[in-house]
Amino acid sequence: MTLSPYTLMTGDPDFYFGQWIDSKGQMNKARGIGYSNSEADRLVAEAATGKDMAARQKAYKELEKLVAEDVPVAPIYNDVCIYAMKKNVKDLKIDPFFKPSLEKAYITK
């Protein structure tokens, strides 16, 4: 079991599948998951390197189905970050790691 804050910060599914599902994926190895499926590896590679978005989506859908059947990882907790601010705080943004970015934030009167 592991607790690991991990988001899809790039918006590309390969950020997750390439790390956690591919048999050579960094998180698959580092977290001791040990998942190994040649069809999953093929789909990860096909989807990650594809140029045609429709073909990538098809490969990811197949990969999602395979992973749902094999269940190499089972997320049991979803951390939700809630940030509250006063109405006079403007342009406060949350970065891809769910931390507040103060670069452009300012306070009005």
Side-chain angles (χ1 to χ4, degrees):
M1 181 180 282
T2 181
L3 177 61
S4 177
Y6 204 78
T7 65
L8 194 59
M9 67 190 79
T10 66
D12 191 325
D14 185 60
F15 189 75
Y16 172 80
F17 288 111
Q19 296 290 315
W20 291 87
I21 302 305
D22 189 281
S23 61
K24 296 181 214 108
Q26 180 184 0
M27 298 306 280
N28 187 351
K29 292 173 132 184
R31 300 293 174 150
I33 295 168
Y35 181 65
S36 181
N37 180 317
S38 59
E39 179 64 5
D41 289 348
R42 183 190 72 73
L43 288 167
V44 168
E46 179 183 321
T49 59
K51 303 277 189 243
D52 176 40
M53 288 307 288
R56 287 187 77 206
Q57 287 176 337
K58 183 178 182 240
Y60 280 125
K61 288 211 180 287
E62 290 178 38
L63 188 55
E64 286 172 357
K65 183 178 178 186
L66 179 66
V67 169
E69 291 170 0
D70 286 355
V71 194
V73 293
I76 57 173
Y77 175 74
N78 181 32
D79 192 16
V80 176
C81 298
I82 299 174
Y83 290 93
M85 62 185 166
K86 291 184 176 184
K87 290 180 182 180
N88 65 334
V89 176
K90 305 295 180 196
D91 288 339
L92 178 66
K93 304 290 182 196
I94 305 300
D95 74 11
F97 295 100
F98 296 105
K99 296 183 299 187
S101 174
L102 304 174
E103 292 173 354
K104 296 182 180 179
Y106 63 97
I107 298 173
T108 62
K109 293 188 181 207

